[in-house]
Amino acid sequence: MNIIIIGNGITGITCARNIRKINFDATITVISEESKHFYSRTALMYMYMGHMKYENTKPYEDWFWSKNRINLIQATVNHLDTVNKSLKLDDSRILNYDKLVLATGSIPNNFGFPGEDLNGVQALYNLQDLEKMEKNTSNISSAVIVGGGLIGIEMAEMLHSRNISVTMLIRENAYWANALPQEEAQLIGNHLHKHGITLKFNTELKEIRTIDQVNVHSIVTKQEETIDCQFLGITTGVKPNIKFLKNSSIEIEKGILVNEFLETNIPDIFAAGDCAQFRYVKTGEAPIEQLWYTGKMQGETLANTICGNKTTYDRGILFNSAKFFDLEFQTYGKVLPEITPEQESFYWAHENGKISFRANYNKLDRSIIGFNFIGIRFRQVIAEQWIREQKEIEYVIDNLKQGWFDPEFSDAHDKKIAKSFSSNPIN
């Protein structure tokens, strides 16, 4: 069996590794236009900040691939022939496949801002972007970032590490308010402000200006405010990388349409990771999952299906984590910016402004449905177990200490949280 995987991110590489574990004889080829070797995309910021070198970001030594007989090709796929099961690369090579996996990831959104093509204006997604950012931020003093998501805050921390002043334009009324409840959004926003990041809420970019027709010099907001800057980071989200499939027979919408087995409409062609869009989704779940751990899970699931053990993909309980400078964040289950009429939410915050806890639960049976932790390290297995077993909120509050794994001698806060919960009239 000849298997080709387009994309060497976490999804494609996980799929390749797991296929090799199951099938010793399969021919496996991974194609990527970005880099020959798989690397940790989340480590880009640490390379810029001088904490890591490129070789430190590769989870596997270079000899790993030949030892496991996984062929790596750095090239661009120019054409896909689904009838003859072949790919044409940019170097004119033709490769045939028996099974094809599309794990092409995502690309930054482009909104066509006036001046977007100036030097010093860019996104941050891959190694090439990092190299560009090194050049664009050399000997500058001020930067603006458009967008208040996770990539935006990573870029802000990177620039801050080089003593570059940073202003963030955020469309909502608080940081990441489209994903976080208001209290957490404000807590994180206050933390960023204390680190010297200027946050401009309810603000959108109107245009990018230059005085030499080459480099960015300033930006203008929709409120007609001018902000001087020598660098503009565009971090307004990502979209599936599917442009090369526009004229193919593979069905696409926002992403590549797949069923619960990650199969496309074309036999022997599969899609997984950021580029895949599920045809049918459960209520409250997103059709496109752009998370590291879901990409890994999809790669594992798909390897089983390709090797003859047809397996349904099941994300399980949603999990995500992030870091805002030195502030750690974890979320489990369903914690939306606003609770539904069927839900209640308990929120507790430490007086130091750096620690908080939220538990959402059903009004009717008081079963837990989701958590947010800021500045608290909590065991994933415990949080997921409680949500899965629909533990009542009272049980959760009484047993919080089971999940704590903060550093030794640190305050677990469980008694303070329990006291606050018992004194809350809503509960």
Side-chain angles (χ1 to χ4, degrees):
M1 182 164 56
N2 183 17
I3 302 165
I4 292 181
I5 300 170
I6 305 177
N8 73 344
I10 185 61
T11 303
I13 293 302
T14 299
C15 187
R17 290 183 57 249
N18 280 271
I19 290 172
R20 177 56 73 223
K21 289 178 183 179
I22 301 169
N23 188 322
F24 182 80
D25 297 319
T27 298
I28 305 172
T29 300
V30 178
I31 303 171
S32 170
E33 65 179 358
E34 177 186 355
S35 62
K36 183 175 182 180
H37 293 97
F38 168 53
Y39 73 95
S40 174
R41 195 175 301 279
T42 55
L44 288 174
M45 65 180 295
Y46 299 110
M47 291 171 60
Y48 181 91
M49 295 165 69
H51 300 167
M52 302 177 74
K53 295 181 179 179
Y54 172 62
E55 54 266 29
N56 305 136
T57 70
K58 293 189 285 188
Y60 307 101
E61 298 287 349
D62 292 353
W63 51 259
F64 173 89
W65 309 104
S66 58
K67 179 181 178 181
N68 288 275
R69 293 179 297 110
I70 298 174
N71 307 312
L72 305 180
I73 296 177
Q74 185 173 2
T76 300
V77 177
N78 282 344
H79 180 69
L80 167 59
D81 184 342
T82 59
V83 175
N84 295 304
K85 288 190 169 183
S86 67
L87 304 172
K88 184 176 182 181
L89 306 185
D90 56 354
D91 59 9
S92 298
R93 273 184 291 176
I94 304 293
L95 301 181
N96 295 100
Y97 64 85
D98 297 313
K99 308 280 186 182
L100 176 65
V101 176
L102 302 173
T104 52
S106 53
I107 56 175
N109 283 322
N110 187 322
F111 294 98
F113 296 114
E116 206 170 62
D117 57 345
L118 291 170
N119 289 342
V121 180
Q122 66 164 98
L124 177 62
Y125 185 77
N126 54 34
L127 282 170
Q128 288 78 11
D129 291 334
L130 183 65
E131 293 171 0
K132 191 176 179 181
M133 188 170 170
E134 283 282 358
K135 180 180 178 181
N136 283 336
T137 59
S138 176
N139 299 316
I140 71 168
S141 59
S142 61
V144 170
I145 296 173
V146 181
L150 297 182
I151 296 177
I153 199 58
E154 287 183 358
M155 186 179 277
E157 185 173 354
M158 293 162 67
L159 295 164
H160 183 267
S161 73
R162 298 194 180 183
N163 298 313
I164 299 169
S165 68
V166 179
T167 299
M168 297 185 72
L169 308 186
I170 298 171
R171 183 173 53 184
E172 295 78 19
N173 64 357
Y175 174 78
W176 211 21
N178 61 339
L180 294 174
Q182 195 69 204
E183 292 89 345
E184 287 95 312
Q186 290 178 351
L187 186 153
I188 294 171
N190 291 338
H191 188 71
L192 300 181
H193 178 72
K194 290 176 182 177
H195 278 79
I197 307 300
T198 300
L199 303 177
K200 290 189 174 291
F201 301 117
N202 301 306
T203 304
E204 296 183 61
L205 177 66
K206 178 182 177 182
E207 64 176 295
I208 308 162
R209 290 183 174 174
T210 179
I211 58 175
D212 60 6
Q213 310 306 312
V214 176
N215 302 292
V216 58
H217 174 266
S218 61
I219 63 97
V220 180
T221 70
K222 288 187 176 180
Q223 289 80 11
E224 300 299 335
E225 179 185 5
T226 299
I227 304 174
D228 292 338
C229 62
Q230 301 90 49
F231 177 84
L232 178 65
I234 307 290
T235 63
T236 48
V238 295
K239 60 186 177 183
N241 181 16
I242 59 172
K243 187 176 180 180
F244 76 108
L245 297 175
K246 287 292 174 67
N247 296 318
S248 76
S249 54
I250 297 175
E251 292 181 356
I252 59 175
E253 286 184 358
K254 290 184 178 180
I256 303 167
L257 292 171
V258 296
N259 62 14
E260 68 273 26
F261 301 107
L262 300 166
E263 298 170 318
T264 70
N265 64 304
I266 303 297
D268 297 324
I269 297 182
F270 310 83
D274 286 14
C275 66
Q277 177 183 342
F278 290 98
R279 292 178 182 273
Y280 311 104
V281 295
K282 298 176 183 177
T283 302
E285 293 189 0
I288 300 174
E289 298 178 347
Q290 294 173 326
L291 297 171
W292 183 91
Y293 89 96
T294 56
K296 184 173 184 291
M297 289 176 63
Q298 289 180 29
E300 293 168 349
T301 300
L302 186 50
N304 282 307
T305 293
I306 287 175
C307 292
N309 178 24
K310 203 166 185 177
T311 304
T312 300
Y313 169 69
D314 181 10
R315 181 188 71 187
I317 293 166
L318 178 66
F319 162 72
N320 200 5
S321 64
K323 197 171 182 181
F324 309 97
F325 284 79
D326 59 339
L327 203 61
E328 296 180 8
F329 167 73
Q330 294 171 274
T331 185
Y332 301 94
K334 295 179 181 179
V335 184
L336 301 175
E338 295 183 8
I339 62 171
T340 67
E342 298 81 24
Q343 300 173 358
E344 292 285 3
S345 185
F346 167 70
Y347 178 77
W348 170 87
H350 195 281
E351 57 268 20
N352 68 5
K354 297 177 66 174
I355 299 170
S356 73
F357 165 78
R358 181 182 297 276
N360 282 7
Y361 56 97
N362 288 309
K363 277 183 181 178
L364 189 62
D365 61 8
R366 302 184 72 78
S367 60
I368 195 74
I369 58 175
F371 298 101
N372 276 350
F373 298 93
I374 295 180
I376 297 171
R377 294 179 181 177
F378 202 81
R379 298 187 188 281
Q380 182 173 355
V381 65
I382 297 293
E384 291 184 350
Q385 178 184 339
W386 288 349
I387 296 171
R388 190 178 297 108
E389 295 178 356
Q390 299 182 311
K391 294 292 188 183
E392 293 183 357
I393 182 64
E394 287 78 11
Y395 175 90
V396 168
I397 297 297
D398 290 343
N399 292 275
L400 277 176
K401 203 165 186 177
Q402 289 184 27
W404 246 259
F405 70 101
D406 279 322
E408 191 177 8
F409 305 124
S410 64
D411 188 351
H413 309 298
D414 56 305
K415 292 181 180 179
K416 291 181 180 179
I417 292 173
K419 183 178 180 181
S420 176
F421 179 82
S422 64
S423 61
N424 192 324
I426 295 178
N427 302 307

